[in-house]
Amino acid sequence: MIRPHWFPHSIKKLVPRCGSALLLLCSLLVVFPSSALSLYIQIDGVADIKSNFSEGCSSITDIVSQAERQKIDVVLFGDFARNSIEFGVKPFERIFKDIHQGPSVLDRGVGGYISEIKDNDRKFAHTLLIPGVETIPFYFWTGSNYDKNLTAHNWDKHLLVFGMPSAQGYEQLPLPNSNFSKEYTQDLLKNFMIFSFIFMLTAGAVYKGYLRIITVPLMLLFALLTLNNHPFQSSPYDPYNGDQGMKPYQNLIDFAISKGALVFWNHMEDTNGINQKDSLSLETIPYPDDLLKTQNYTGFQVVGDQPIVQSDPGQQWDQVLMEYLNGNRERPVWGFGSNDYLCENQNGDNLGSVRTVFLVRESSNDTVLDAMRKGRMYAVRQTDANRLSLDEFVVKDQKAGNQVTMGQELVATDFPTVNMKLRSVQGGTKTAQIQIIRNGALVKEETVSLPYDLTWRDVEIDRIKPVYYRIKATVSPTDHLVSNPIFVKFAGNTGMEVASAPTPKSATSPAPPIPVVKKPASTAPTVKPKAPRVAMFSGASSPTPPTLSVQTPTPPQETRAPVPILQPAMSEPPPVKTVVKEPMQQKLSEVEMTPGKRLRVMTDGVELKKGPGSVFNNITKLRKGEEVNFVRRTNIEFNNKNWLVVQHKNRSGYIWEGVVQWAAERKADKQ
């Protein structure tokens, strides 16, 4: 049962809507849901909304007032973090430069921006307000002023950042022409030290009175060069050395994710081509392939004011999701709807023309960000208030009775069954084209009249390889919907058994019995086949099967009898873990891995990297015996050992499992 988009934040707020006579009935609907998925409610959101803090026309208060009138539950702001483009004269490009700057959050003050959003969040009872910024991580120059062909490239290649936990995080975003930062001093210190040394030599010569006609100009020259090459740059990439590929964008993604924020690629199919900013020429070509070239971001704009090709079967989104299924990507990529809103009724802008609908357990800023992080959302384009509504999209294991929704993963014992309910929120006659996409291929397509219910059992799969399902529904180019995927893996290939789910009961009903795990037969082979690896969701600490929608047992260890687990609350069932026998070597995963536990480097020159692989840049090199703090283990392997996320001197990075040991074990060895 999916509740309307105006579902209240609490029973107390339900009273004015239901009336005293219906209070008891409304309370029962909330407390006693009809199914497990009733624990989620749907709330409407609009994202990438710009206020007059940057290039928007309206104040934050005016925007929220309009959102409340339209019964929009969530507004995610996306004002420009830094809106500055500079062209300087080499070799003093950071001192003598032409600056074109527009209003931005960092220019007007992050503290004031966040404070005003929070003040309005408290003022307006219905609509939630979440701060965010749109970033321009990099641009580069070609041509010259002399030839009148000076052009800034990739100025409109943007990333949205939401959920940064502090104002300081926004202030330290690695953006060109931004605030002083100590993040990259190690990389930029070399030139600074060279010019500083020469400057001091020339200053000493001037002080001693040596050939002042020569030494004074030299001293001034090297003073300027020292200032121009100071190491406190906001970004390690400048616009004067050509295209830097994905490095500036991956750098921003890694920084924001390390701070706990969410990062989304925005308007990747912008076809404006060459345009102007003041007297400058700007050129940005569409960049959907960047979905494949970058890692660890949260998602991208899958629905906008114009149709977005990445949502079509087999395009870049599906290619990324298949990389995730095949274990070549640490986390899946989610789609969301971006409103790209500046001014009402200007250039086709309308607040709420593109929405993201979130599935949450209660209406709060934290639950909305959690839904964005975990993919419990779908995106809608609408021309009026009668938008499409995906009231239900679940994948079921009918044999075990388990089911999951968007952003979740099902461990199935049977052929998956897809259930979908689609309607227009205000009714009326509409005809929609429905597409079900499995692993990038269109496997079912129908033209239907709304409202529409579908139950479809997919019997054409081998039940060996993992799969995912996602949905597109289209009435017209300005009235369509795109869901996020649901993942399915099969219990027969994970070495586990899945208990059937009991029928959900009311909150006062007794808990269902604890499932019993069958003990392996004595005739079982001594060596088990290795289960196929499937990458897990963001935040997973080890490559274990994902959380099911119902209670599941813990599988037996290799040498222990199964132990029943305590029955948890139905809203947060525990994950099921698979034990894979590796007799040849002990991996770090077999030791209790607690975040904050220390690892010791076993050899000199070990590289701490910005990503899990040799292709990523080095952060620093570690000496034998140095210790780092363990954060989590990824599922990216090299030579049968995994890459680990660690922290070293307040910087997060990746290190290969094969070059470290637990510090406690090394100490024990010496005793």
Side-chain angles (χ1 to χ4, degrees):
M1 180 177 65
I2 302 295
R3 292 168 175 76
H5 72 280
W6 47 260
F7 186 87
H9 302 175
S10 64
I11 295 296
K12 182 178 179 181
K13 292 189 178 181
L14 209 59
V15 176
R17 297 190 183 276
C18 298
S20 57
L22 296 179
L23 175 60
L24 179 61
L25 175 60
C26 291
S27 302
L28 290 174
L29 287 174
V30 176
V31 177
F32 303 109
S34 62
S35 71
L37 292 181
S38 301
L39 297 173
Y40 291 117
I41 58 174
Q42 288 193 11
I43 58 176
D44 272 24
V46 291
D48 190 14
I49 307 302
K50 289 177 175 58
S51 70
N52 57 9
F53 261 85
S54 61
E55 293 192 344
C57 298
S58 303
S59 68
I60 290 173
T61 301
D62 290 342
I63 290 171
V64 185
S65 298
Q66 183 180 349
E68 288 233 322
R69 291 193 298 270
Q70 295 179 221
K71 294 184 178 179
I72 295 172
D73 300 296
V74 187
V75 175
L76 292 108
F77 289 93
D79 284 285
F80 282 111
R82 177 70 71 189
N83 189 13
S84 172
I85 188 168
E86 301 177 356
F87 180 76
V89 180
K90 285 276 193 178
F92 308 112
E93 67 277 2
R94 295 187 179 94
I95 301 174
F96 305 116
K97 55 190 177 183
D98 182 22
I99 302 175
H100 296 257
Q101 183 165 298
S104 67
V105 171
L106 292 175
D107 182 48
R108 298 188 58 182
V110 179
Y113 179 64
I114 294 177
S115 177
E116 186 165 340
I117 290 176
K118 287 184 176 179
D119 288 345
N120 281 276
D121 196 24
R122 288 188 290 267
K123 177 181 175 182
F124 290 90
H126 175 75
T127 302
L128 303 172
L129 308 182
I130 297 176
V133 294
E134 186 163 19
T135 65
I136 306 168
F138 181 69
Y139 62 92
F140 67 96
W141 293 103
T142 61
S144 68
N145 272 324
Y146 178 79
D147 295 327
K148 296 183 179 181
N149 61 351
L150 186 66
T151 302
H153 299 267
N154 292 344
W155 171 258
D156 289 316
K157 186 181 283 194
H158 297 165
L159 288 164
L160 285 166
V161 178
F162 300 111
M164 189 72 77
S166 69
Q168 185 180 10
Y170 288 112
E171 290 171 348
Q172 295 299 305
L173 284 168
L175 306 173
N177 321 323
S178 194
N179 297 338
F180 285 103
S181 172
K182 296 186 291 185
E183 188 78 16
Y184 309 105
T185 54
Q186 184 176 351
D187 299 331
L188 302 171
L189 198 58
K190 181 179 178 181
N191 286 345
F192 176 74
M193 294 298 293
I194 292 173
F195 290 124
S196 297
F197 179 72
I198 299 175
F199 165 70
M200 287 187 291
L201 289 179
T202 56
V206 171
Y207 179 76
K208 295 287 188 178
Y210 298 144
L211 296 174
R212 289 191 174 184
I213 193 171
I214 297 175
T215 56
V216 168
L218 285 175
M219 182 187 70
L220 295 176
L221 172 66
F222 284 102
L224 291 173
L225 287 172
T226 301
L227 181 62
N228 190 76
N229 289 274
H230 72 80
F232 304 107
Q233 304 293 337
S234 56
S235 171
Y237 306 100
D238 66 51
Y240 306 103
N241 292 297
D243 190 0
Q244 299 295 309
M246 289 294 99
K247 291 185 288 185
Y249 306 95
Q250 190 65 59
N251 184 50
L252 186 140
I253 291 168
D254 292 342
F255 176 86
I257 294 296
S258 72
K259 302 297 183 183
L262 311 177
V263 183
F264 292 83
W265 281 105
N266 203 23
H267 47 70
M268 303 186 79
E269 293 191 351
D270 191 352
T271 56
N272 290 338
I274 296 179
N275 53 49
Q276 295 290 127
K277 181 178 178 65
D278 299 331
S279 60
L280 300 176
S281 294
L282 310 175
E283 182 178 25
T284 304
I285 61 174
Y287 48 99
D289 286 342
D290 289 357
L291 287 178
L292 295 160
K293 297 175 183 177
T294 49
Q295 297 279 336
N296 298 326
Y297 56 93
T298 311
F300 75 107
Q301 180 193 22
V302 74
V303 171
D305 290 330
Q306 302 295 327
I308 294 178
V309 176
Q310 293 103 294
S311 66
D312 290 346
Q315 295 299 317
Q316 289 88 349
W317 190 20
D318 284 318
Q319 295 172 40
V320 170
L321 292 175
M322 287 305 298
E323 286 183 357
Y324 166 70
L325 278 192
N326 295 330
N328 297 323
R329 188 173 286 265
E330 185 176 348
R331 62 183 76 189
V333 167
W334 312 122
F336 85 117
S338 177
N339 207 159
D340 294 336
Y341 178 82
L342 293 172
C343 304
E344 189 69 22
N345 296 321
Q346 290 186 22
N347 299 321
D349 282 1
N350 295 106
L351 187 68
S353 61
V354 176
R355 303 197 186 190
T356 302
V357 182
F358 304 101
L359 274 63
V360 298
R361 299 196 186 280
E362 62 179 9
S363 186
S364 72
N365 289 18
D366 289 341
T367 58
V368 170
L369 290 172
D370 184 67
M372 295 179 74
R373 191 184 307 276
K374 297 178 180 177
R376 294 195 313 273
M377 56 186 174
Y378 62 89
V380 184
R381 173 76 168 94
Q382 61 186 87
T383 54
D384 54 33
N386 196 24
R387 69 164 176 83
L388 292 174
S389 176
L390 187 61
D391 287 355
E392 181 179 77
F393 174 35
V394 297
V395 176
K396 296 182 178 180
D397 178 352
Q398 292 183 329
K399 184 176 179 180
N402 304 333
Q403 64 181 25
V404 297
T405 188
M406 287 174 287
Q408 298 176 344
E409 189 161 345
L410 175 71
V411 177
T413 61
D414 193 10
F415 291 105
T417 299
V418 177
N419 279 24
M420 180 185 71
K421 293 182 180 180
L422 183 71
R423 66 182 175 94
S424 297
V425 294
Q426 294 182 349
T429 302
K430 280 188 178 183
T431 300
Q433 181 188 62
I434 309 297
Q435 294 180 330
I436 298 180
I437 299 161
R438 183 227 298 144
N439 287 15
L442 181 61
V443 293
K444 187 172 180 61
E445 184 174 28
E446 292 185 44
T447 300
V448 301
S449 296
L450 303 183
Y452 176 68
D453 289 6
L454 170 70
T455 299
W456 175 65
R457 190 165 181 251
D458 188 4
V459 297
E460 298 180 356
I461 55 177
D462 57 16
R463 291 193 294 170
I464 297 175
K465 297 178 181 178
V467 298
Y468 68 84
Y469 300 90
R470 62 181 184 89
I471 286 174
K472 287 188 67 176
T474 304
V475 174
S476 71
T478 58
D479 189 5
H480 59 273
L481 174 153
V482 178
S483 81
N484 269 298
I486 298 174
F487 298 91
V488 182
K489 64 186 298 187
F490 298 96
N493 298 291
T494 61
M496 70 177 74
E497 297 185 23
V498 178
S500 299
T503 303
K505 299 182 180 180
S506 68
T508 58
S509 300
I514 298 174
V516 178
V517 182
K518 295 181 180 180
K519 194 171 184 178
S522 59
T523 58
T526 57
V527 179
K528 295 183 180 180
K530 187 173 181 179
R533 293 176 60 251
V534 178
M536 304 312 298
F537 294 125
S538 170
S541 60
S542 61
T544 60
T547 303
L548 303 182
S549 60
V550 296
Q551 171 65 35
T552 53
T554 302
Q557 303 290 330
E558 291 292 323
T559 59
R560 300 179 185 177
V563 179
I565 60 174
L566 295 178
Q567 178 72 13
M570 283 296 290
S571 60
E572 295 292 341
V576 178
K577 295 187 177 180
T578 304
V579 177
V580 180
K581 186 175 181 181
E582 297 199 22
M584 297 301 295
Q585 55 184 335
Q586 182 184 21
K587 299 181 71 176
L588 292 177
S589 59
E590 297 174 13
V591 185
E592 181 184 0
M593 294 197 298
T594 305
K597 202 170 180 181
R598 300 189 67 79
L599 294 164
R600 180 168 296 177
V601 177
M602 296 188 295
T603 183
D604 282 324
V606 170
E607 296 172 344
L608 184 67
K609 289 186 168 291
K610 292 185 176 180
S614 58
V615 297
F616 290 92
N617 292 339
N618 297 339
I619 296 174
T620 187
K621 289 189 177 182
L622 305 174
R623 297 187 302 273
K624 182 178 180 180
E626 279 196 89
E627 293 186 355
V628 294
N629 289 324
F630 172 78
V631 177
R632 63 183 174 85
R633 181 185 177 198
T634 74
N635 65 332
I636 308 299
E637 288 189 352
F638 174 70
N639 286 348
N640 205 31
K641 289 183 180 288
N642 293 64
W643 285 87
L644 309 176
V645 179
V646 299
Q647 192 171 39
H648 175 66
K649 296 181 179 179
N650 296 323
R651 296 192 68 179
S652 295
Y654 292 78
I655 195 168
W656 185 50
E657 184 181 8
V659 295
V660 292
Q661 270 191 328
W662 295 112
E665 289 184 2
R666 292 291 300 270
K667 291 175 183 177
D669 291 343
K670 292 180 179 181
Q671 293 176 353

